[in-house]
Amino acid sequence: MKSIKAIVGSAAVLGAVVAGAVLPASAASAATPSCTKAEAWSNGVLVPVSSGGKAKCSLVKGANNAAVGALQLALKICYSQSITVDNSFGTNTFNALKAAQTTAKIGVDGSYGPESAANLKLSWYGDNPTKADCHVNDQIDEVG
């Protein structure tokens, strides 16, 4: 019969192996910084960016900042979604983003990350933007 020490030791090893298997996935998602602000780029597009100015950033339900507002403006203007631009990523923004992801034929998960940043149209920043002012961010790979 195995001793309790041997069973606990085996459980600890198994736990470490399982934790190791899980860590790479969380490490990969941690590599994408959160979008925290919005910047008007030289091409006139309002872009959600990280605090370090990177456009390859992420936004998820619960975020509250200017980057969310830039995304909401794009969803409203470029994808005709009936949402309020209030800088708060709630259920309406989540559902509107899923609809835009479906239209863009990219992964549909309701979160904004590098794939959405590279493929969704963003709105021009200025007075009375229209659908004609929406563009896929062609500078995403140059600036990151």
Side-chain angles (χ1 to χ4, degrees):
M1 182 176 235
K2 286 190 175 187
S3 71
I4 292 185
K5 263 187 177 179
I7 292 171
V8 171
S10 296
V13 170
L14 179 60
V17 169
V18 169
V22 172
L23 283 178
S26 61
S29 60
T32 303
S34 295
C35 303
T36 57
K37 61 184 184 174
E39 288 184 359
W41 283 9
S42 62
N43 62 358
V45 173
L46 187 63
V47 180
V49 297
S50 68
S51 60
K54 299 289 184 185
K56 290 182 182 173
C57 56
S58 65
L59 282 170
V60 295
K61 203 170 180 183
N64 292 287
N65 56 46
V68 176
L71 174 60
Q72 289 171 327
L73 181 66
L75 294 171
K76 184 174 186 144
I77 301 299
C78 305
Y79 294 94
S80 302
Q81 296 296 308
S82 298
I83 60 171
T84 302
V85 178
D86 61 3
N87 294 352
S88 180
F89 196 135
T91 301
N92 292 339
T93 302
F94 178 82
N95 291 332
L97 179 54
K98 284 174 59 174
Q101 289 170 328
T102 299
T103 299
K105 295 181 170 88
I106 60 175
V108 178
D109 60 4
S111 64
Y112 181 89
E115 183 180 27
S116 293
N119 292 285
L120 292 181
K121 292 178 182 178
L122 296 172
S123 180
W124 175 74
Y125 182 70
D127 294 333
N128 303 312
T130 66
K131 274 192 177 191
D133 298 315
C134 295
H135 305 282
V136 171
N137 185 7
D138 59 359
Q139 295 178 351
I140 188 101
D141 291 325
E142 295 169 25
V143 182

